[in-house]
Amino acid sequence: MKEKSTLVFATNNAHKLSELRQMAGDGLNILSLADIGCDDDIPETGQTLEENSLIKAKWIKERYGYDCFADDTGLEVYSLGGEPGVRSARYASDGHDSAANMALLLKKLEGESDRRARFRTVVTLIEGERTTVFTGEVKGVITCEAAGCGGFGYDPVFKPEGWTKTFAEASAEEKNAISHRGRAVAQLIEYLNKSRFDNKC
């Protein structure tokens, strides 16, 4: 039986933790920031998703000593020049208000025919001295109004390519199978499983 890897996920977002723990299954013991007693307001001063993901992972590794990973996710709307992008969680204000963020996005897209967008997630893993980056994305369109009560963030206004419903109308299993975070985390888990196997050889 493979030994479980214990890693800190640099977040206290309950939705992210639930999604990721479900995807990881029994192979990983994933701790949150609360689990390690971290209530720091980690600065997200990067200009890209990659920079913010690395900042958060390094913060935990350097101050708490745990091997860890951090993610940063952005919704990029083509007709808005990539907005909200790195500011997705703080689009309307610094209060991480999902309803306000969606309202602002829909207002900016009023009358816009090109509603193509993509979600992109960058995961940075730090193990010892090694840093590894994983990226996942999913393309789709921004709907004209919110639909569904599942998911979080912009899920009620994002309809993936080939779907007739938004992420918020899908089950967790359906979303995780194709989502940006799901794709990035699948790479992370595959990498960790391979590392554990190689270390036992």
Side-chain angles (χ1 to χ4, degrees):
M1 184 175 180
K2 293 180 180 177
E3 181 183 350
K4 273 192 178 184
S5 292
T6 296
L7 288 170
V8 173
F9 183 12
T11 188
N12 275 324
N13 184 309
H15 296 289
K16 285 186 181 182
L17 281 165
S18 176
E19 279 189 358
L20 197 136
R21 284 170 171 160
Q22 182 179 20
M23 293 168 62
D26 295 330
L28 285 173
N29 181 31
I30 299 171
L31 304 179
S32 68
L33 294 180
D35 291 331
I36 64 169
C38 173
D39 59 1
D40 304 350
D41 184 12
I42 303 175
E44 296 183 36
T45 55
Q47 298 302 304
T48 65
L49 301 177
E50 288 80 2
E51 289 176 3
N52 274 344
S53 179
L54 178 60
I55 287 169
K56 289 185 281 188
K58 286 178 68 176
W59 185 279
I60 299 306
K61 181 64 176 177
E62 292 173 356
R63 289 165 175 78
Y64 294 84
Y66 288 93
D67 285 351
C68 63
F69 63 95
D71 81 313
D72 202 27
T73 294
L75 174 66
E76 300 169 348
V77 181
Y78 294 90
S79 62
L80 297 179
E83 288 186 14
V86 75
R87 285 195 53 80
S88 291
R90 304 174 300 280
Y91 196 35
S93 70
D94 286 333
H96 294 247
D97 186 333
S98 294
N101 290 338
M102 282 191 289
L104 177 59
L105 178 63
L106 293 178
K107 181 174 179 59
K108 287 196 172 189
L109 285 174
E110 284 180 359
E112 176 59 59
S113 59
D114 182 4
R115 304 178 75 88
R116 292 175 301 147
R118 68 175 181 175
F119 266 124
R120 196 162 65 91
T121 292
V122 176
V123 174
T124 299
L125 168 69
I126 299 180
E127 294 180 291
E129 300 298 319
R130 178 185 297 175
T131 299
T132 311
V133 178
F134 310 91
T135 302
E137 73 170 56
V138 60
K139 295 180 179 179
V141 296
I142 303 301
T143 57
C144 293
E145 59 184 22
C149 55
F152 60 98
Y154 296 91
D155 284 356
V157 297
F158 184 82
K159 183 170 69 175
E161 283 184 348
W163 282 32
T164 58
K165 57 187 175 184
T166 68
F167 265 157
E169 295 175 293
S171 68
E173 291 79 9
E174 287 175 314
K175 179 185 173 184
N176 289 342
I178 72 149
S179 79
H180 45 295
R181 185 173 294 105
R183 289 170 173 170
V185 169
Q187 296 172 44
L188 168 69
I189 293 170
E190 181 181 5
Y191 172 87
L192 292 170
N193 286 337
K194 184 176 185 301
S195 294
R196 292 207 306 277
F197 176 80
D198 289 346
N199 288 339
K200 288 183 177 294
C201 295

